[in-house]
Amino acid sequence: MIHHRIALCLLFCLLSSTLLRAQEPSETHKADPEQRKQVRQLLTDLEGRRTSAEGRVKIVEKLLATGPAGEAALKDYLDRTLRNLRLMVTPPPATGALDAQIEQLRATLADLRHDASLTKETLETTGLPALDQLTAVWGQREAARKSHYQRMNRVATQLDQFNDFLRQWEAMAGENPALQPPSLSIAKYREKTAALLAQAAPNDEKSRLVLQENEKIGKQLPPDVMAGLRALNAMRIMCGLPPLLVDLKLCEAARLHSADMESHRFFSHESPVPGKSTPFDRARLAGTSACGENIYMGSNVTVDAPRGWFLSPGHHRNMLGESPTRQGLGHSGKYWTQMFGS
């Protein structure tokens, strides 16, 4: 009987101890009221839309300094932000038939530019009809996806901002280990953000970054020049090729060659101006390098010039080649020069 009572007492003590432990507050709730208030204010600051990436990292540092409560709140913020962004990323409307036509026409154009014996006649009879058909089909698909793209561009902007914050955090954590607690993997959050960006953006991440950078660079260029640079990249993307980064030095070399053609009254890739004989000379004088050049005389560099260059095998390969990664454009009067760099 005594043994039974002892056993019951031990069991009661064990259960009481277990219940007491279960009722103990978590680390998050152990924080005193003042600390909880501080964590809430820091989270509000972290979620502020006008807070810079560097500013957010400083808030992260303050959150982590509050201990487990701040660390738990930070993890909840990261998970919640990614979850909300994931819900905003939706697939584009079904355009399967148009997609198939686009791929077929892209293949036709790729075969042409890879043809070593490409002629103007082939470009006129096969290339131009394929380009016109691709332009029409591409336009239909883009119209069907327009509202989706608009929504996803807004989501991509938010993802970019979140990714900038994570990138800055990761960089600063490399110098300050206190910014990288074991419970949080910045690299993992960046990986998830990149995956969402790939779903949200109509172009791959590298192309998207090139186009974004071009718009920043383009603020230093005349509007008509920037329109011509955009027109070529639009054609390349439509043809399944990556856009080209705008090179301001190539733009300057192109502008100067156009000015030389206008003032010296010639229209050629070969210049009579000393030291500027070839496109390569002119690019070198501008402090860069070139791998090709197109020239045009007229006013419409967004439509007429690309179509004219499209029908010339050499100019065609310059515009739609796989090797160029940079482009420049400049004009003087009606003389236009388009330059390429790899």
Side-chain angles (χ1 to χ4, degrees):
M1 189 72 175
I2 293 175
H3 292 297
H4 286 300
R5 287 179 180 174
I6 293 173
L8 286 171
C9 286
L10 288 172
L11 179 61
F12 177 76
C13 290
L14 179 63
L15 288 172
S16 297
S17 175
T18 302
L19 287 170
L20 285 171
R21 283 199 303 271
Q23 291 172 1
E24 286 180 357
S26 65
E27 292 291 344
T28 303
H29 295 96
K30 279 183 180 179
D32 58 64
E34 187 60 34
Q35 192 179 50
R36 289 201 298 270
K37 180 180 177 182
Q38 182 186 7
V39 169
R40 284 197 298 270
Q41 182 57 55
L42 287 170
L43 280 176
T44 300
D45 295 341
L46 188 61
E47 293 171 349
R49 292 186 177 182
R50 295 184 180 181
T51 308
S52 67
E54 188 173 348
R56 289 185 179 185
V57 179
K58 290 179 180 178
I59 296 171
V60 165
E61 188 173 12
K62 292 177 182 178
L63 271 170
L64 293 174
T66 65
E71 189 173 327
L74 178 58
K75 185 177 187 306
D76 178 68
Y77 161 75
L78 293 171
D79 292 338
R80 177 163 36 86
T81 300
L82 268 180
R83 184 168 58 249
N84 291 340
L85 288 168
R86 188 178 294 112
L87 290 173
M88 295 168 68
V89 176
T90 58
T95 52
L98 295 174
D99 294 343
Q101 292 182 62
I102 288 170
E103 290 309 310
Q104 183 179 0
L105 291 164
R106 282 176 169 178
T108 298
L109 292 170
D111 288 342
L112 288 177
R113 63 177 173 269
H114 292 143
D115 183 358
S117 58
L118 182 63
T119 64
K120 181 177 181 179
E121 183 181 0
T122 304
L123 286 170
E124 287 178 335
T125 58
T126 304
L128 198 55
L131 179 67
D132 287 340
Q133 189 178 354
L134 175 59
T135 302
V137 176
W138 178 265
Q140 291 176 46
R141 192 187 73 171
E142 296 304 281
R145 293 183 171 187
K146 183 178 179 180
S147 60
H148 169 77
Y149 287 156
Q150 290 173 340
R151 288 196 307 274
M152 289 305 101
N153 281 335
R154 290 193 291 270
V155 176
T157 298
Q158 294 181 54
L159 283 163
D160 270 329
Q161 292 171 350
F162 189 59
N163 195 42
D164 284 343
F165 155 57
L166 293 174
R167 188 185 298 112
Q168 186 73 29
W169 181 7
E170 191 171 45
M172 294 177 71
E175 300 176 1
N176 181 5
L179 282 170
Q180 178 59 86
S183 65
L184 295 172
S185 171
I186 308 172
K188 185 177 180 181
Y189 284 107
R190 284 199 64 190
E191 183 181 334
K192 290 180 178 180
T193 303
L196 286 175
L197 264 170
Q199 295 176 48
N203 301 307
D204 62 80
E205 185 175 10
K206 185 177 179 181
S207 295
R208 187 175 56 80
L209 292 175
V210 167
L211 293 174
Q212 283 183 348
E213 185 64 20
N214 283 351
E215 292 307 310
K216 294 177 185 176
I217 297 170
K219 293 176 182 178
Q220 303 176 58
L221 295 168
D224 55 352
V225 170
M226 193 57 194
L229 293 165
R230 287 195 195 103
L232 174 58
N233 275 338
M235 178 184 284
R236 286 180 63 88
I237 290 171
M238 183 176 70
C239 291
L241 295 163
L244 304 177
L245 183 66
V246 173
D247 182 337
L248 288 175
K249 292 179 178 179
L250 278 180
C251 288
E252 180 63 6
R255 184 189 68 80
L256 291 173
H257 183 56
S258 296
D260 286 342
M261 287 192 290
E262 182 180 40
S263 61
H264 293 279
R265 299 186 180 279
F266 73 96
F267 184 69
S268 171
H269 297 291
E270 296 294 323
S271 173
V273 181
K276 296 183 177 182
S277 296
T278 69
F280 316 110
D281 296 329
R282 297 188 284 273
R284 189 165 51 251
L285 285 173
T288 186
S289 61
C291 63
E293 180 185 80
N294 293 348
I295 55 176
Y296 166 76
M297 187 164 55
S299 57
N300 194 337
V301 77
T302 60
V303 178
D304 294 344
R307 286 180 77 86
W309 289 329
F310 182 91
L311 293 173
S312 168
H315 296 82
H316 182 103
R317 290 194 181 94
N318 283 340
M319 287 199 311
L320 301 178
E322 282 85 358
S323 58
T325 57
R326 297 174 287 117
Q327 67 163 321
L329 183 68
H331 77 102
S332 181
K334 291 188 176 183
Y335 289 84
W336 287 86
T337 303
Q338 182 181 54
M339 299 188 75
F340 302 89
S342 55

